[in-house]
Amino acid sequence: MTLSRRQALGLSAGAAAVLAFSPTFALSATDDTDAAIKAFTGGATPAEGTVSLDTPEIAENGNTVPVGVSVESPMTEDSFVESVLILADGNPNPAVATFHFTALSGIAEAKTRIRLAKTQNVIAVAKMNDGSTFIDRKEVKVTIGGCGG
Amino acid sequence: MATPKPRVKVPKKAAKGEVITIKTLISHPMESGQRKDKEGNLIPRQIINKFTCEFNGQLVFSCDMDPAVSANPYMQFSAKVNEPGTFKFTWVDDDGSVYETENKIAVE
Amino acid sequence: MASRTKSIATLFSAVMVCATGALAGGPVDEKLVIDGEMEIDTRIPAPEGHPFDEVISGWHYRTDETRDLEADSFQNPGMLYVERGEEIWNTVDGAAGKSCASCHGDGDEFLKGLGANYPKWNADAGKPFNIELQINQCREANMEAEPYKFDAADQKALTTFIKHKSIGMPMEIDLTEGDMQAWWNKGKELYYTRTGQLNLACATCHEGYNGNYIRADHLSQGNVNGFPTYRLKQSAMVSLHNRFRGCIRDTRAAFPPAFSDDLMALEVYVTWRGSGLDIETPAVRQ
């Protein structure tokens, strides 16, 4: 593979940018997201499983990305999902929405459409009425449009 | 757009104890507070921040929304229907406006 | 020349597919059925003298999620604007104290198929009229109301309502009326004329490279049967002339005003290129 001078310059500049900035970016996004999760769970680390996210692998436009969430739960007066927090760890502000369920919901499922500023993880954290918490994560690739972006 | 107008899709009837799917949509720009106008001034945030569904006065489902919810917010969820009655849907705007609509359901 | 273009396109497509893995660039082999009831003709044999064998709606070039949005008339956010358009249709405006409905009734009969046959020759104006121009003429002459400014929210909503009344009906324009053929000729010339700093014609992308990628986006044939279209990018209705202007802007050329002779000629020609495709308004695109 032969690179033109311009390609080579572009590649090295890109690599430099990644080296210089990505750790900082990753940290700040994760910090905000972690803080939001902790605030929601009351400090506990949520377990994997029980809650599952349904997101497209690739979103054609970050302005309108369909997101579904479902939680395995009997949804009775004694045992139900209280709420599900949705976060997007690459947005300027990770908060997206919080769904609140009741026994009258029948099943703990909800769908909405969200804004994603770039390719990133969408996160769902479920809180049951006994206080236990569960988490799921899905990466959504947000594509850049045609000539206009 | 003119005054935000809700659209709701609820089945007209259900079997006793059936879990139905409800779909809602409302026209609203969900102005995030992060965009700038042509002069470079920040456009103030104005979103619908809360959606609630009640059945015969009891809470079924609600959602707190942040600016990352898309324009014309769509909400799909379930409800268990134990008796005939009325669903009441409420959207609360940042400016304090409340948009409401109701749908009746029969039980066979 | 044609085969050379094709081989370049094939090469281009092969490279792009390798680069993006699982994504395919061409139209998907699916059927658009709205609410499981209304079948929409989105792929049809091209009319005589057409550069393609098959005319394909932009719906086929979108992801599963975007296509699904259009196939569910409840979830389609464009339907909010159809409802708003219906309100406008029935609302009195202007000094004459009339609404659209005062003369045309609820529109169920009057509007059925009407939007599928525009642009139409307007003898008084001596040029083709699209729905937006027709609305403005009606507002000024019959309602004694102000004409809508280009892309006013009400103009987009009313146009969306009117076009939606022809959903599922094939787009067909009459080129035998007045000077329509001359406008078609002019539109065709514009379609193939390279313009802007990027030196692109409409045909460069939408004829030469449709089915391939432009960055991470799929290039469609650029058909207009879904306009006004709900675009996810704007999260709102986008009018055809807005889209024309956006496309021309992206070639880095000066773009003509909406409803100018140039863009009306282009609308006549591009509408003809999609002849026979069913109206999808409000279509949903990326």
Side-chain angles (χ1 to χ4, degrees):
Chain A
M1 185 173 159
T2 21
L3 291 179
S4 72
R5 184 172 165 273
R6 182 179 290 191
Q7 282 169 323
L9 278 175
L11 277 179
S12 55
V18 168
L19 285 175
F21 296 117
S22 68
T24 332
F25 275 15
L27 268 182
S28 65
T30 315
D31 276 355
D32 282 356
T33 306
D34 282 353
I37 295 172
K38 289 242 156 63
F40 180 74
T41 62
T45 304
E48 305 279 331
T50 303
V51 58
S52 54
L53 265 170
D54 181 16
T55 54
E57 195 187 344
I58 296 166
E60 259 182 315
N61 190 287
N63 264 338
T64 316
V65 183
V67 168
V69 65
S70 62
V71 191
E72 289 168 37
S73 159
M75 295 306 277
T76 59
E77 296 287 348
D78 300 330
S79 174
F80 63 97
V81 185
E82 272 183 5
S83 43
V84 176
L85 173 72
I86 307 290
L87 300 169
D89 71 3
N91 275 357
N93 176 351
V96 175
T98 311
F99 301 124
H100 303 279
F101 299 95
T102 67
L104 276 182
S105 305
I107 45 177
E109 278 184 15
K111 281 183 185 167
T112 187
R113 302 173 191 148
I114 70 171
R115 292 167 168 155
L116 297 178
K118 58 179 181 181
T119 295
Q120 57 185 290
N121 292 309
V122 176
I123 297 161
V125 190
K127 187 169 21 179
M128 320 302 266
N129 66 321
D130 66 3
S132 58
T133 54
F134 299 91
I135 191 165
D136 191 23
R137 265 189 198 86
K138 287 267 162 67
E139 191 193 43
V140 179
K141 293 186 181 75
V142 176
T143 63
I144 303 163
C147 14
Chain B
M1 242 175 126
T3 317
K5 235 182 100 185
R7 297 181 91 206
V8 172
K9 195 175 184 182
V10 181
K12 288 200 170 56
K13 54 186 179 183
K16 189 175 159 58
E18 187 181 342
V19 176
I20 60 164
T21 298
I22 294 176
K23 299 176 178 180
T24 73
L25 188 64
I26 188 164
S27 58
H28 198 285
M30 297 292 278
E31 193 58 61
S32 68
Q34 288 169 353
R35 296 199 313 152
K36 287 179 177 164
D37 63 17
K38 281 178 188 147
E39 282 76 46
N41 305 312
L42 216 55
I43 305 172
R45 170 185 141 151
Q46 192 186 341
I47 66 166
I48 288 177
N49 57 57
K50 179 98 186 165
F51 166 76
T52 309
C53 169
E54 289 171 313
F55 183 67
N56 292 346
Q58 281 189 295
L59 188 66
V60 175
F61 171 85
S62 71
C63 179
D64 299 311
M65 288 181 245
D66 292 288
V69 172
S70 304
N72 302 319
Y74 174 75
M75 213 50 75
Q76 180 180 322
F77 53 93
S78 301
K80 189 171 185 182
V81 184
N82 296 317
E83 54 183 348
T86 306
F87 284 103
K88 183 178 170 191
F89 305 93
T90 311
W91 291 259
V92 181
D93 196 303
D94 274 350
D95 72 3
S97 308
V98 175
Y99 318 111
E100 288 178 335
T101 187
E102 291 189 348
N103 276 62
K104 285 193 181 346
I105 190 165
V107 166
E108 293 169 323
Chain C
M1 181 62 210
S3 73
R4 186 169 160 262
T5 312
K6 203 173 171 189
S7 65
I8 291 172
T10 314
L11 182 68
F12 194 61
S13 128
V15 170
M16 298 309 275
V17 168
C18 290
T20 48
L23 271 176
V28 295
D29 189 17
E30 297 280 344
K31 269 198 156 40
L32 173 55
V33 183
I34 295 176
D35 298 338
E37 289 169 356
M38 181 187 284
E39 281 195 34
I40 305 290
D41 280 340
T42 52
R43 295 183 86 129
I44 45 140
E48 213 182 299
H50 200 288
F52 297 134
D53 296 333
E54 192 184 22
V55 179
I56 305 172
S57 158
W59 183 79
H60 287 276
Y61 296 81
R62 309 274 50 101
T63 59
D64 294 357
E65 292 79 19
T66 309
R67 292 200 316 277
D68 286 351
L69 263 185
E70 188 176 331
D72 180 338
S73 71
F74 186 85
Q75 288 203 47
N76 182 346
M79 292 304 291
L80 289 164
Y81 300 80
V82 171
E83 287 182 358
R84 172 66 190 139
E86 186 167 16
E87 269 176 20
I88 298 166
W89 178 267
N90 290 307
T91 303
V92 171
D93 195 8
K98 288 180 184 168
S99 67
C100 307
S102 307
C103 297
H104 305 299
D106 64 7
D108 278 355
E109 259 178 60
F110 177 76
L111 291 177
K112 198 173 167 62
L114 180 127
N117 300 323
Y118 271 74
K120 238 184 165 59
W121 183 250
N122 186 296
D124 294 338
K127 61 185 256 186
F129 263 26
N130 58 9
I131 294 291
E132 289 94 332
L133 290 175
Q134 185 63 62
I135 291 171
N136 274 353
Q137 190 202 44
C138 236
R139 285 179 63 81
E140 287 188 279
N142 303 326
M143 295 167 69
E144 296 170 39
E146 286 289 310
Y148 289 130
K149 289 200 171 71
F150 170 55
D151 267 356
D154 282 3
Q155 179 183 62
K156 288 196 283 183
L158 188 55
T159 306
T160 303
F161 167 70
I162 291 171
K163 283 271 189 183
H164 178 69
K165 285 286 183 185
S166 299
I167 193 168
M169 300 175 75
M171 196 163 68
E172 209 69 64
I173 57 170
D174 187 351
L175 294 176
T176 64
E177 275 186 50
D179 290 334
M180 284 292 274
Q181 188 61 48
W183 286 75
W184 183 94
N185 292 343
K186 186 181 173 188
K188 181 177 179 184
E189 192 188 318
L190 286 168
Y191 193 88
Y192 287 97
T193 303
R194 287 178 178 268
T195 178
Q197 291 176 329
L198 298 184
N199 202 30
L200 296 169
C202 309
T204 318
C205 293
H206 295 289
E207 187 169 307
Y209 287 101
N210 88 79
N212 294 294
Y213 280 95
I214 181 159
R215 299 211 293 189
D217 210 348
H218 299 194
L219 277 170
S220 73
Q221 291 183 352
N223 284 313
V224 300
N225 56 311
F227 279 92
T229 285
Y230 190 87
R231 276 193 103 202
L232 304 181
K233 180 180 168 185
Q234 280 87 359
S235 299
M237 299 311 292
V238 172
S239 67
L240 179 56
H241 284 235
N242 181 302
R243 190 62 280 218
F244 277 160
R245 283 157 57 90
C247 228
I248 298 169
R249 178 202 59 215
D250 292 344
T251 71
R252 302 187 191 167
F255 43 92
F259 315 132
S260 59
D261 287 358
D262 277 357
L263 291 191
M264 283 311 302
L266 197 58
E267 179 170 353
V268 169
Y269 178 68
V270 176
T271 305
W272 171 83
R273 282 178 75 102
S275 294
L277 286 176
D278 281 349
I279 296 288
E280 290 176 35
T281 311
V284 182
R285 301 290 184 260
Q286 79 288 15

